[in-house]
Amino acid sequence: MRSTLRCLIAILFFGAAWHCPAEETRLGNRLTPAVLAVRKALPWVVNIGTEQVIRVDDGYDVFYNDFFKWYSPRSKEVIEYFPLGSGVIVDPRGLVVTNYHVIQRAQRIEIRLWDGTTHQAELVGFDASNDLCLLRLVGDFKDKPLATAAFALPDDVLLGETVLSVGNPFGLEHSVSQGVISAINRKLEDGETTYDDILQTDAAINPGNSGGPLINLNGELIGLNLAIRHDAQGIGFVIPMKRIEQFLSHWLLPERFSSACLGMVLDQPFVMGNKGIILPEVMSCSDTHRAGLQKGDEVVAVNDQPIRRLADFGRAVWALRTGDNVRMTLAAGREVTTTVGTMRAPKLIQTRLGLQVQKLTRTLNEAMGFKPDLAGLTISEIYPEGAFARQQPTWRQVLKRGDVIIQVEDRLTPDENALAEVLSKTRSGQNLRLIVLSLQGRHYVTLAVDITLN
């Protein structure tokens, strides 16, 4: 009796992954490494869906509507949950990674957790060429942090090792399938993108498994399910951990979630050092220069959190806000304390929009054929897409140098500060509408351009 009570207490505090001696005795050989791995993984696997509006009736609608539909139609609209795919919780404060194609056309994203609770999610950022995206659950998880995926080391994959796929195939939540790693560094062409490091597995992958995890027998994430070969059985493709971690290191920075500025140059990749991560170029938008941080410094801890891999740094800093103090321990043993700053207007505009703008003046208006008193911001530079984001926004095929931004949402933009004030309340992945004067041939026309922010 006491043994059973102790087991119940252990399960209550440590979750389903915990197993007790009494359970081991009862289940014997059934408690395999695969079973234990699944128990570890299930709490951090999520189901992703959207809301779909459907019409329902009671079977008499055809007869009723023939006579009375103009007065009071019987059928009604009902909002129903529609499954799209799967995802993985990568931070206890509500961050989820999945395939971009899972949520690409969803107007509203719903995340269903292992315990059955549902949360709305917001898009933070995506990399269309790698079919990855980052979502953030709406809500405060400080008091009840979410279970988070354990990451396998990059490239720590064995040909032929047993692996497990967990996901939401055809809406069948948290389904598990087993297989092996069939190939490593498989070349895969998807449209204009060519992958040369894809994992191949024969674990069953079906519609709805996309974005869900492939795990090893330690219960560690080794990749995200990507696609299957439709003309074959048992050939599935998986995005490897190395590519996922590089994606996360690009997006897990304070600059993506607010106007806060840690000082990292966003388009320069982080790389691993001997003990921690190597800092890219450090900007002067925060106190980092005065504190002594510089390019090439190797960070081994942030606020006493060890940094052993790329994702560790991102998870330690992404939620920082302006005014927060950050203590970084360097490999040389030196400690640096810095304060998170605020992005200046030009940097904020470049970060969110990938643009450089210039205030219209009377001289510019005359040169461009506008009325002398026209107020707005002319686009003087559009940064190359790869230099500031990976989102491949289609609006970049519409705007060009010389176009004039006169309004963002319902706010006029007579100068940089007005535009920056609007952007300071935004985050990456958010949608905004710009009202733009665009040169079409010899004439300017007014365009409404919907933009996904970086």
Side-chain angles (χ1 to χ4, degrees), residues 131-405:
D131 198 13
L132 291 169
C133 77
L134 183 66
L135 307 174
R136 184 182 184 185
L137 274 61
V138 176
D140 187 354
F141 301 95
K142 290 181 180 178
D143 295 334
K144 191 178 180 181
L146 300 176
T148 305
F151 289 175
L153 293 173
D155 301 323
D156 184 14
V157 182
L158 301 175
L159 186 63
E161 75 169 301
T162 299
V163 291
L164 302 156
S165 174
V166 186
N168 188 29
F170 298 103
L172 302 172
E173 299 185 11
H174 289 89
S175 296
V176 179
S177 61
Q178 181 172 312
V180 299
I181 293 293
S182 307
I184 298 172
N185 295 328
R186 178 70 75 197
K187 185 176 181 179
L188 177 65
E189 294 184 1
D190 182 15
E192 298 179 356
T193 302
T194 299
Y195 305 91
D196 58 5
D197 58 355
I198 293 297
L199 303 177
Q200 181 184 325
T201 181
D202 66 347
I205 297 175
N206 292 290
N209 277 116
S210 292
L214 191 74
I215 63 173
N216 59 26
L217 292 184
N218 292 330
E220 298 169 329
L221 178 69
I222 60 175
L224 287 187
N225 298 322
L226 174 63
I228 59 172
R229 181 156 179 159
H230 293 283
D231 58 350
Q233 291 184 348
I235 299 181
F237 301 108
V238 179
I239 300 173
M241 190 65 238
K242 183 177 181 180
R243 193 180 288 265
I244 297 167
E245 197 160 12
Q246 288 172 342
F247 166 79
L248 290 176
S249 70
H250 179 84
W251 289 103
L252 292 183
L253 290 170
E255 288 85 347
R256 306 295 188 192
F257 296 86
S258 70
S259 59
C261 181
L262 186 61
M264 307 296 117
V265 176
L266 302 185
D267 61 318
Q268 294 189 7
F270 291 88
V271 296
M272 289 301 303
N274 294 324
K275 300 179 179 179
I277 63 114
I278 306 297
L279 293 182
E281 186 177 343
V282 181
M283 301 185 302
S284 59
C285 65
S286 66
D287 291 339
T288 49
H289 276 94
R290 290 195 294 273
L293 281 179
Q294 54 189 314
K295 179 179 180 180
D297 282 342
E298 185 174 359
V299 178
V300 298
V302 175
N303 289 340
D304 296 327
Q305 296 184 44
I307 307 300
R308 298 291 182 263
R309 56 193 306 157
L310 295 180
D312 290 342
F313 185 78
R315 287 189 282 201
V317 303
W318 73 264
L320 294 172
R321 294 295 180 264
T322 299
D324 288 347
N325 291 324
V326 187
R327 185 175 66 260
M328 297 191 188
T329 305
L330 306 183
R334 184 165 57 97
E335 281 196 353
V336 173
T337 299
T338 181
T339 302
V340 179
T342 302
M343 282 188 280
R344 299 186 180 96
K347 188 61 184 177
L348 182 56
I349 294 169
Q350 178 184 343
T351 299
R352 289 286 184 271
L353 300 176
L355 304 176
Q356 182 177 320
V357 296
Q358 182 179 353
K359 180 181 177 180
L360 285 179
T361 63
R362 181 178 291 270
T363 303
L364 272 175
N365 283 337
E366 291 177 355
M368 299 173 72
F370 296 139
K371 295 179 180 180
D373 60 348
L374 179 67
L377 295 166
T378 182
I379 298 174
S380 57
E381 186 69 38
I382 299 181
Y383 292 96
E385 186 174 304
F388 75 96
R390 307 176 184 181
Q391 300 199 154
Q392 298 183 347
T394 55
W395 61 263
R396 290 173 60 81
Q397 301 168 11
V398 178
L399 296 183
K400 55 187 176 300
R401 291 182 61 185
D403 289 351
V404 179
I405 302 171

